[in-house]
Amino acid sequence: MKNDQGPLRRALIISILGRLAHDITMRVIYPYVPEVAAGLKITEAQLGTLMSLRYGVSLGGPLFGAWADRVGHRRAMTIALLLVAVGMGLIGLSA
């Protein structure tokens, strides 16, 4: 019997690369905090608070998962995409 671990190895490599990309995108702003805070005319501490909200949102994941199970995944994704579109539109208008 041949022990083929090719698919397992491939999944592991993809998972590691995906996690690396995620970590890079989440932490790329840290060296630029002083410049970003100055550009927004806020303190570095205020920017740090805003950045920490990004991590706090993930705590609501189980609640949104239960909600998606109740209303249906397709409807939940549609509502979420509409909310993101509205939020980005408001950000665009505020600039």
Side-chain angles (χ1 to χ4, degrees), residues 21-32:
H22 176 267
D23 287 346
I24 289 170
T25 60
M26 293 298 283
R27 291 175 177 85
V28 73
I29 193 171
Y30 294 144
Y32 307 105

Side-chain angles (χ1 to χ4, degrees), residues 7-66:
L8 179 61
R9 182 180 302 249
R10 182 172 180 250
L12 182 62
I13 290 170
I14 290 171
S15 297
I16 290 170
L17 291 175
R19 182 61 193 197
L20 177 66
H22 176 267
D23 287 346
I24 289 170
T25 60
M26 293 298 283
R27 291 175 177 85
V28 73
I29 193 171
Y30 294 144
Y32 307 105
V33 166
E35 289 85 5
V36 173
L40 294 173
K41 296 180 177 70
I42 60 175
T43 67
E44 292 177 23
Q46 289 170 325
L47 181 60
T49 301
L50 290 173
M51 290 170 41
S52 69
L53 291 175
R54 164 175 66 177
Y55 297 110
V57 170
S58 65
L59 297 174
L63 298 174
F64 289 112

Side-chain angles (χ1 to χ4, degrees), residues 64-79:
F64 289 112
W67 174 71
D69 287 340
R70 195 169 55 249
V71 300
H73 293 97
R74 186 175 296 239
R75 176 177 270 168
M77 286 300 294
T78 302
I79 292 170

